[in-house]
Amino acid sequence: MMRLLALLFATTLMSCSPETDGGACGESFCLPSDARLLSKRTPVHDFNLYDVEWNGVRFVIYEGNAPDEGEGAESILSLPLDPEAKLRRDNERGSVVARMRPDWPNYLQINGPCAAGDQCEAAALAKGIIRR
């Protein structure tokens, strides 16, 4: 019985609503169907960290109210999630911060490789993420 309840809970957590074409989901978003959710961590009660693999590349996605401000050059990146998302690049790494909701979680931050604007895997993944 406990295994069945755990399976039902995991299925609810990791599946999107029927009207979406996405893959595994977090609280406020769903990944593209070809992305793989490797793990979810909740180090403290007010944010989640997701380890994701997409196109052979690893990413960390932050979901919460206080994304890392970070360093590096910043530009606006228009996404389906947020037409005024911010892309920050620093030393071959990228961070995309999208505004999600007026309440928790306010933000989604996608961290991953980002060599240049046209070779930014973090931005490419962010474009495929949909709002839950």
Side-chain angles (χ1 to χ4, degrees), residues 11-26 28-37 52 54 81 125 127-132:
T11 303
T12 302
L13 175 67
M14 297 198 165
S15 64
C16 277
S17 58
E19 66 272 4
T20 66
D21 291 328
C25 296
S28 64
F29 70 96
C30 290
L31 295 168
S33 58
D34 58 345
R36 201 167 59 120
L37 178 60
V52 173
W54 182 66
L81 287 175
L125 176 60
K127 289 177 182 175
I129 293 175
I130 56 176
R131 194 176 300 273
R132 183 171 192 186

Side-chain angles (χ1 to χ4, degrees), residues 67-109:
D68 182 19
E69 293 299 320
E71 305 271 325
E74 186 175 287
S75 60
I76 299 296
L77 178 66
S78 183
L79 300 174
L81 287 175
D82 179 1
E84 296 181 9
K86 294 178 182 170
L87 169 63
R88 193 172 293 116
R89 289 185 32 241
D90 187 33
N91 294 328
E92 306 287 317
R93 300 293 299 167
S95 173
V96 177
V97 177
R99 186 114 165 106
M100 296 301 287
R101 298 179 176 169
D103 57 353
W104 189 90
N106 291 127
Y107 296 97
L108 196 65
Q109 182 172 7

